[in-house]
Amino acid sequence: MMNGKHTLAVFSLLATAIFIILWLKNSTYLPNVKNNGFKRKWIENLVVLEKEKNISSAFARFPGTHSGYNFLATKDPFVLVKFSEDLNPKDTFTLNLPKINASYNPNILVVDSFNVLVALPNSALSFTISLDSEKIDSVRLQSDIFTRFSKMRNSSAIVRALTKDQTRQSFKKIDLKSGEVIKEASIVENDKSYMGFDSDGILQFDPIRNLFIYVQYYRNEVHCFDTSLNLIYKSNTIDTISTNSAVYTKLEKFDSQKVTSSAARLIVNRECIVDSKNGVYFILSNLRSDDATNSDFRENNTLDIYKIDDGMYLGSFTIPKRNSTYFLSATIDSSHLLVLNKGNLAKYRIDYSKLLQIMAK
């Protein structure tokens, strides 16, 4: 049995814990609990579910689409599966890469039917793998550690990498045959805080217009630039989060240093899907608009549509979440939106006639 002193100590600890919880609740900004100060233009019946299939929960992302086939990739080990238009698996490929550190978090991109490009951000390495002959060519990129990677149709790529002094990040155009840096540009203004991680984002390529779209995770900013790293425009997503500063802490262990976030960040934009053929991109938003109920937002993925040419907002639509979670990855195949959920693959038909009418206004 506890004596009086022990009982008092327990109650004191409980009171302190309750105080901390209430303080955190009142002092922390919780998105979507209150209104976020913007409304959406909802496009009714824009997408229709055509087909879905249960698949292995090991699949993590769409690494690419080519010649009517879509590829899905596992995270570890590196396995690619080619799917047909009716969502049936056709071929399986295991990428026999040299032994690498799992923390490299590889970006896997399907180049064409027989070659896969694997880029390792934390090692500045890229591998080109032939799926039919299993030949592997490797190139060390003449760049520091990069955080984003997107390939063009030729033998070049754009990376977002740390500068030599490691104070910020810049965009670099790199020759994938030699690994040489062809050109470098900042693109994102005032990107000097916390080594550029404050403005981390999603990098996508439009192969028809030869334009890159860079959508920031933590702010409502979009940068569009060409293959020569010339800024075409800077625009904003429709939400109101223009400032969302990070709080980072340096951790020192033995002879190494690591910079990590010491406070939770509010993610504004979760994903970006480019539809080159129809000149639009879709952004998976993490913010509820004032004209959506909390339950609707919790149960659905909300996608906002923007024009590639100028970043103009066109409208929004929703697709259901699976098990109350956001989808893992998505891609455009002709007039369809393919969505990967954990253990599920869904195919939605997009009514582009409605979009064309909106774009013509």
Side-chain angles (χ1 to χ4, degrees), residues 131-360:
L131 295 179
D132 56 351
S133 66
E134 298 187 359
K135 179 184 176 183
I136 300 178
D137 295 319
S138 64
V139 174
R140 180 167 292 279
L141 308 180
Q142 294 180 9
S143 173
D144 294 303
I145 295 172
F146 58 88
T147 58
R148 299 293 161 226
F149 180 101
S150 187
K151 189 186 179 299
M152 293 179 248
R153 277 184 167 174
N154 55 23
S155 59
S156 299
I158 298 294
V159 301
R160 188 169 189 253
L162 288 168
T163 53
K164 289 183 178 180
D165 59 6
Q166 295 192 355
T167 59
R168 60 186 179 86
Q169 293 189 44
S170 64
F171 290 90
K172 299 179 182 182
K173 183 177 181 179
I174 294 181
D175 186 324
L176 291 176
K177 291 183 177 179
S178 65
E180 294 181 357
V181 176
I182 302 170
K183 191 175 180 181
E184 181 176 356
S186 177
I187 304 294
V188 179
E189 305 92 334
N190 302 318
D191 191 18
K192 296 182 180 179
S193 58
Y194 307 105
M195 298 189 297
F197 291 107
D198 200 27
S199 55
D200 194 16
I202 311 141
L203 180 62
Q204 298 286 18
F205 180 55
D206 173 3
I208 293 179
R209 294 162 187 78
N210 286 318
L211 293 175
F212 287 90
I213 303 294
Y214 184 71
V215 181
Q216 290 194 33
Y217 281 126
Y218 309 116
R219 297 188 184 94
N220 62 348
E221 290 187 12
V222 178
H223 292 77
C224 176
F225 55 93
D226 62 21
T227 55
S228 297
L229 299 181
N230 297 309
L231 181 66
I232 304 302
Y233 65 81
K234 174 186 173 182
S235 62
N236 298 106
T237 52
I238 60 167
D239 56 83
T240 55
I241 307 298
S242 58
T243 58
N244 184 17
S245 297
V247 179
Y248 285 88
T249 301
K250 270 190 178 182
L251 301 179
E252 296 188 12
K253 186 176 181 181
F254 303 112
D255 295 328
S256 64
Q257 287 187 342
K258 181 181 179 181
V259 177
T260 184
S261 176
S262 60
R265 299 296 307 277
L266 167 61
I267 296 176
V268 176
N269 305 303
R270 301 187 68 94
E271 186 59 89
C272 175
I273 307 106
V274 169
D275 182 353
S276 300
K277 180 181 177 182
N278 294 286
V280 296
Y281 59 91
F282 306 88
I283 292 180
L284 175 61
S285 177
N286 198 42
L287 293 181
R288 180 181 63 84
S289 57
D290 297 350
D291 51 357
T293 65
N294 282 306
S295 60
D296 282 344
F297 187 78
R298 283 194 304 267
E299 294 168 5
N300 293 283
N301 297 283
T302 300
L303 292 110
D304 301 320
I305 313 168
Y306 300 86
K307 284 179 64 178
I308 292 176
D309 290 336
D310 56 14
M312 185 179 75
Y313 170 65
L314 298 173
S316 304
F317 66 99
T318 63
I319 56 174
K321 289 180 179 178
R322 303 287 175 180
N323 300 318
S324 300
T325 58
Y326 290 100
F327 60 71
L328 298 174
S329 183
T331 189
I332 296 293
D333 179 18
S334 185
S335 59
H336 293 85
L337 174 67
L338 300 181
V339 176
L340 173 65
N341 302 285
K342 189 170 184 178
N344 175 271
L345 183 59
K347 183 176 184 178
Y348 294 87
R349 179 174 52 82
I350 305 174
D351 186 352
Y352 279 104
S353 62
K354 292 185 177 183
L355 266 186
L356 290 174
Q357 291 175 7
I358 294 171
M359 294 171 72

